[in-house]
Structure formats: structure tokens, C-alpha cells
Amino acid sequence: MIKKILNILGATALLFAVSCREDGADLEKGAAGGNDLIINSDANALSKRIDYKNSGILTLNDGLGRKNDVAGDFPLVLVAELAAPSYEGKTLRATHVAVEGNFAYVSYNTEGDAYLGAIEVIDISNPNVPQMVMQAIMPNTDISSVRYDQGQLYIAGATNVDATNAKTAALVGRMSLNGGMLSDNFVTTSLPGKVGTDVTSTASKYYAVSGATGALTQINKADNNIEFTVPVQDLRAVGSTGNKIVILSGTNGVKVYDANGLNPVSSFAAYTDIAESKRTLDFMGERLLVSQGKNGVGVYNLATGAKIQTLALPDTVNGVDPEDIVTNAVSVNADKAFVANGGAGLFVYENKAEQLDLLGSIDLLGSSNYVMSKGDYIFVATGTGGLKIIKYVAPDNGTVNCTSYADYNGGEWLNVNSGEIREFKGTKSLKGINVNNILSWCGALTATESVNVNSNATFNMYGKLYQGSQQNRWNGLNINSGSLFNLEGDLTTYGNMTLNSNGSLKVKGNVTIFGDLTLNNGAKIEFVGTRSVITIHGKVTKNGTSTITGTYTDTNNKL
């Protein structure tokens, strides 16, 4: 058996090679490396691997494992954790994620000498409760990377040549999707080298890179024929931007090619990394961001190759072995960059005046090995610890005009005292909220601890509010005697919700309660309009007489 590895070569430099025309592709149709796909579409059984026990508000710290004590500007929620799949006693690990519309596609391989991979489909149409809807196990084939493009999945990986009779271990594949779902319409192409490490695509071509004695390979989408190959050692990643194909080699740095014919454009030494580890690259305008192991993230001018900035690793993080602090992956989403820094966790940067400034980091209780962000979602693979599904709480003011409201510049606890009327707009991450008179907020909020609307007070929330955690349900949302919580938008509490005597909840939107709902005597819930939805995962307790009025959908039939 050929042992799969990402890199077995030394530091010998290989300059731009002459592109070689390939007259015919090595196609193995219908399966991965000659093996049947084992497809499972039992969504109920698959979704049992989704765990919500740690779901709740995430708090950014200062990058050294210390908590900040100010209100944050980037509210995040851990939606769920996805345990790694297993097959015939072997546990797989997540390697890559692609997102398109309501679906996320997760690829897996197996650590060590065994060849075993999978692709899974997660339905993220419900932002609070993702569902696993399909799985394809690939015996004898590892999957390193996956990319969605126009109803197709492009897949890079490695196959066991002894078991499948493939000509080489490295492969790239193309799977046609049916309504976003996996299919057995899967064609693979053998590549030079030991393992296909990454794949990207343009309008008419797709491009794969393979490790060890590998190459950059250009393939025609129309007929899956190889058109060009450029031999390059130890390739880790490939990306496309404009009319350029950019590759990352562990021994040769960054090389840039023209997408039509793979003619060399430029080359620069980004870093040297002989570790057998996954690395990624991404683009922010004209800047190239490269994960560089112990050298953090290198930010380069793509046109000139000049280094603009280094997103350095911290020297120490509380409770983390320095050997476990390493930059494994980087992902760009609009003006944010997300960096998987191994045992140091997930680091978040924001683009300001053409420089990336650290917003903070998150400890995800496991080594952050890979990150991908698209839309409001951030996916972090933590090896055998599975996949973390994180959501940014995006602002939404509904139909309310908030232009006269002030920006919030206060502390991590928002307190409205008796006699005060406070109106704020914006997107903030808080520790908690206490309302003793009238508070109105337009935008988005998270509160790590309790939200209390105290006696005879009013809290008008126009937008999105996420509160609490599954681990601390007693820190919930309390609507106390004679008070009103008026919601136009979305409310999600991971704790318990209590409406005390004559407390009122007025809803025009969606309410999700992961904890329990208690309605004490005289409590009122009023649904406004015709489209409101309430989803309660815990139990409902009614003490005395309470009233529920209006038109609404009770997802779990708890009311």
C-alpha cells in the first residue's frame, strides 16, 4: 500500500515548469477510485450526530485567552456541533467545507494509513437548528477538499491504488448534484502525486493541486479531459481570482498563473513549511492571505508579491501548549478574516484602512484545524472533535425607522434605570441587560447572561436578539410583573424564559426557546400579524391563568 502523505519532499526548489499538454484524461467513471459510493439519506438518523449541549453566545477574548470586559461589535453564536462520522470502527475527521444557498457540504478523511472519506450535506435553512440530510461514504478514498460550482461538487483527495487499481493515488472528482443533494454521478481523474490536496474552478475549467511529487492540473468542465499540467512540489492549496490561478507550495511558496493555459505570471517565496499539514489561501481584494504554520498568516500584494502584513501567532495562550499554536487555515468573508490557529482557537480580524486588526479570538475547546466562512456562517473543523457551526448575528431593523436612535458606546452590561428612556441602534455583544423603565434597540444583540425586563418596564427589540447558553439555562430571559417585551424580528434564547404575573410578550416575528417556558398567573403572549412562529424545545409550564392570542405557528406543538 502507498501511504498517503501531504509532503515527503525536502526543500529542493523547483522553478516554473513548462506546461505540458495532456491529450487524454485518466477517467474512472461512476465511483471514487473504482469503489461504490455508500449513500445514506436517512436524515433523522444522521441528524442525531448534531449536538446542541454547548450552543449559545460566544465571547471574543483578547487573543491570549483573557476575556474582554467591554461590549463587542461582532456578536457570534455557537449554533451546534457536528460529531465526526465513523465507518466500520474508524472515525473520520472534517477537512473542508463548501457552502451554497441552504446547504453546507463537508468533506472528511481518515488519519493515518487508512483510506476512507465521506461527504455530508447539512441543511442550514433554519439558522437555529441545522439538519444533516445526506451522507456519502467513500471506502478506500480520502477527501481533502470540496468546492461547489453551478450544481456540481469538485472534490480533491487520494485513493488506495492497491484496492482500486487507480493509476495514481492522487485524484480529483466531479459529482453532479440533484437539487443540492449528492448523487452517484461521480467521475474521477487521476493526478500526479500521492494526494489531491485542493480544488478550485472558473467558468469553463477546474483546477486541482496534488502533493508530494505533484502538479497543478487544468481540466475542461465540458469533457473532464486534462488540458495542462505544471509539475510543482508539495502543493497545499489553490485558488482563483479574476483571471489568475494561485497555488501554494510548502517548499516553493506562492506561484501565480494565467487561467487560460497556465502561463506563469509571478512567483514569490511566501513561506517554507515542511510539516505534513493542510494549509489554505484566500483573497481580500488585491491581497492574498496565506496560512503559514508557525509563521501565522502572511498578507501579500498579489500583483507584486510584497508582504503587506503578518497576522502573528500569540507567543503564549493561557492553558495551551505552545507547540499546539499554529496557523492551519484562513478564510475571508467580506471585511473579516477568520484564522484557525490550532490550540489557540479561532481568531477574527477586521479590515480597517487596508490593515487587518484583531477583533478577538474564541476558544473552541479543541484544536482549530480548518475554517471556512460564507454569508452569516463560520464553520470550524476541530479534527476528531468534529465541526463547529457558528453564526454571526446580522443586524435587521425590521420596518422600524431607527435613524434618530443613538449608537451604543456603553459597557458589557446594559442597564436602564428607573425613569430613563434609552434608544440605541447597532450590532453589539453584551454580557447582560437590565431594563427598569424603557429600552428600545434597533439592530442585533447578543447577551451572554440574563436579560431582565423588570416590573412595569418595557423592552422594544427591533431586529435580532440571541441570549444565554445551554450550559447556563438559569441565566434566561425574564419578563417580570407588569412588564412588556415587544419583539419585531427574531428572538432566540438558549436559556429558560419566564413570564411572571401579568408580564407580556408581544411578537411579530420568530421566537426560539431552547430551554423551558414558564407562564405564571396573568401572563400574556400576543402574536401580531399572520406569520409569527414560536419553537420551544424545552417544556412549558402554566401556573394559574395565562392567555395566548393571535395567529402563529407552534413548530413543536408546545403551547
Side-chain angles (χ1 to χ4, degrees), residues 328-389:
N328 293 311
V330 59
S331 179
V332 173
N333 187 348
D335 66 341
K336 304 292 191 301
F338 302 90
V339 182
N341 279 336
L346 177 69
F347 281 52
V348 183
Y349 294 83
E350 183 175 28
N351 185 40
K352 294 182 179 179
E354 298 304 309
Q355 287 284 303
L356 289 164
D357 292 344
L358 179 65
L359 287 180
S361 65
I362 305 168
D363 179 9
L364 293 174
L365 300 177
S367 179
S368 296
N369 296 335
Y370 171 77
V371 61
M372 197 286 301
S373 179
K374 186 175 180 181
D376 295 339
Y377 284 92
I378 308 155
F379 297 85
V380 183
T382 57
T384 56
L387 186 73
K388 315 292 184 184
I389 304 174

Side-chain angles (χ1 to χ4, degrees), residues 502-518:
N502 298 314
S504 296
L505 171 64
K506 187 176 181 179
V507 178
K508 184 179 181 181
N510 301 308
V511 174
T512 302
I513 304 169
F514 281 88
D516 300 330
L517 171 64
T518 300

Side-chain angles (χ1 to χ4, degrees), residues 165-206:
N165 296 318
K167 291 181 171 56
T168 62
L171 66 80
V172 64
R174 173 176 171 169
M175 176 185 288
S176 298
L177 301 175
N178 294 323
M181 295 295 100
L182 306 175
S183 77
D184 59 1
N185 185 357
F186 186 34
V187 176
T188 64
T189 302
S190 290
L191 301 171
K194 307 294 186 185
V195 56
T197 52
D198 201 6
V199 61
T200 192
S201 60
T202 59
S204 61
K205 317 289 182 185
Y206 60 104

Side-chain angles (χ1 to χ4, degrees), residues 202-258:
T202 59
S204 61
K205 317 289 182 185
Y206 60 104
Y207 304 82
V209 289
S210 43
T213 52
L216 166 63
T217 302
Q218 175 181 306
I219 304 166
N220 191 300
K221 282 184 175 180
D223 55 18
N224 294 305
N225 283 329
I226 293 177
E227 296 181 330
F228 297 98
T229 61
V230 181
V232 183
Q233 293 176 350
D234 189 22
L235 287 171
R236 310 293 184 88
V238 61
S240 61
T241 179
N243 197 41
K244 296 175 181 177
I245 302 299
V246 183
I247 61 173
L248 175 64
S249 164
T251 54
N252 293 280
V254 171
K255 296 180 182 294
V256 183
Y257 297 87
D258 185 277

Side-chain angles (χ1 to χ4, degrees), residues 537-557:
H537 296 279
K539 65 181 181 179
V540 175
T541 300
K542 298 179 180 180
N543 297 316
T545 301
S546 58
T547 59
I548 301 171
T549 61
T551 301
Y552 62 97
T553 299
D554 182 4
T555 305
N556 292 333
N557 296 314

Side-chain angles (χ1 to χ4, degrees), residues 453-503:
V453 188
N454 293 319
S455 297
N456 301 311
T458 298
F459 183 2
N460 300 305
M461 181 68 213
Y462 308 118
K464 298 178 182 177
L465 171 63
Y466 280 72
Q467 182 274 328
S469 69
Q470 288 277 66
Q471 296 288 338
N472 299 300
R473 282 191 172 188
W474 56 89
N475 276 330
L477 195 156
N478 301 301
I479 303 171
N480 291 314
S481 299
S483 63
L484 168 65
F485 186 100
N486 178 34
L487 172 71
E488 183 174 317
D490 297 327
L491 166 65
T492 300
T493 175
Y494 292 95
N496 300 321
M497 180 187 289
T498 302
L499 275 69
N500 283 316
S501 175
N502 298 314

Side-chain angles (χ1 to χ4, degrees), residues 7-69:
N7 172 32
I8 60 171
L9 297 178
T12 304
L14 179 65
L15 300 177
F16 282 111
V18 177
S19 296
C20 304
R21 180 76 185 187
E22 296 287 342
D23 294 326
D26 178 10
L27 299 182
E28 296 158 359
K29 298 181 184 249
N35 287 310
D36 292 334
L37 301 174
I38 302 172
I39 294 180
N40 181 358
S41 58
D42 186 345
N44 289 331
L46 291 170
S47 291
K48 290 179 180 179
R49 293 194 356 253
I50 297 178
D51 193 346
Y52 299 96
K53 70 176 182 296
N54 294 316
S55 297
I57 311 306
L58 293 172
T59 302
L60 289 173
N61 62 44
D62 65 355
L64 300 175
R66 300 174 303 197
K67 301 297 184 183
N68 292 317
D69 57 3

